[in-house]
Amino acid sequence: RKEVEQDPGPFNVPEGATVAFNCTYSNSASQSFFWYRQDCRKEPKLLMSVYSSGNEDGRFTAQLNRASQYISLLIRDSKLSDSATYLCVVVPFSGNTPLVFGKGTRLSVIA
Amino acid sequence: DVKVTQSSRYLVKRTGEKVFLECVQDMDHENMFWYRQDPGLGLRLIYFSYDVKMKEKGDIPEGYSVSREKKERFSLILESASTNQTSMYLCASSLFTSGSDTGELFFGEGSRLTVL
């Protein structure tokens, strides 16, 4: 089983739609979780961290389910500018260890 | 503003050539990383460094080496470039943290290498 797995998509949704991505991770000892966003031909950038209690930033909500070992990202009221690839990122161990990236889920928001 | 600078955005090299990819960060970060990104394969870690003159192999180090002589600079070296090393190379840095709180990764804009 791969360490971090995501549905590659693409997800093609109309403007205003709500879309959700899931990501599963294999290491139950994983400590920290993030969503990064990568625009076409650009570098990845941190979108948000994922906390055990869940967290929200405007139209974006991230959830963590440790029992089932998955994290999710919900985007409400999709905008054209949300079109990007969303990367699920996991820190597999505590301490200063490299992040493990999923392959990304591509989202296209259509007018 | 946070800045990770990669020396070349686009390079074209011939098989067997030695290739240097340079990365400089101005944030005084301890950690630096080199990834390559390929369609369908995502980001794969080549090498990383937690300190000057220190290096650790990532998931795909074969065919690559690195150098970190100064804290702000992390170089990726392809001793003898091959066509299967055609890729987008991304450098990143992060602040050293302890425990379960890993610092945010800041990426450079990437270097697209084509090996003919």
Side-chain angles (χ1 to χ4, degrees), chain B residues 95-112:
Chain B
L95 192 63
F96 178 85
T97 56
S98 61
S100 61
D101 189 19
T102 297
E104 177 182 352
L105 267 185
F106 295 91
F107 285 88
E109 292 183 312
S111 298
R112 184 165 292 282

Side-chain angles (χ1 to χ4, degrees), chain A residues 25 28 64-70:
Chain A
Y25 59 94
S28 60
L64 167 63
N65 185 319
R66 284 194 185 271
S68 301
Q69 293 179 213
Y70 78 83

Side-chain angles (χ1 to χ4, degrees), chain A residues 3 31-32 34 36 38 41-46 87 91 93-103, chain B residues 9 31 33 35 37 40-43 45 48 50 90 96-97 99-105 107-109:
Chain A
E3 283 198 75
Q31 297 290 319
S32 304
F34 308 90
Y36 276 67
Q38 186 172 22
R41 299 186 185 280
K42 297 282 191 179
E43 72 275 20
K45 292 184 180 177
L46 178 65
L87 304 168
V91 178
F93 306 104
S94 63
N96 205 18
T97 55
L99 280 63
V100 178
F101 284 80
K103 293 180 182 178
Chain B
R9 292 294 305 277
N31 305 335
F33 307 83
Y35 292 87
Q37 187 172 33
L41 297 177
L43 278 160
L45 182 63
F48 59 101
Y50 288 146
L90 287 157
F96 178 85
T97 56
S100 61
D101 189 19
T102 297
E104 177 182 352
L105 267 185
F107 285 88
E109 292 183 312

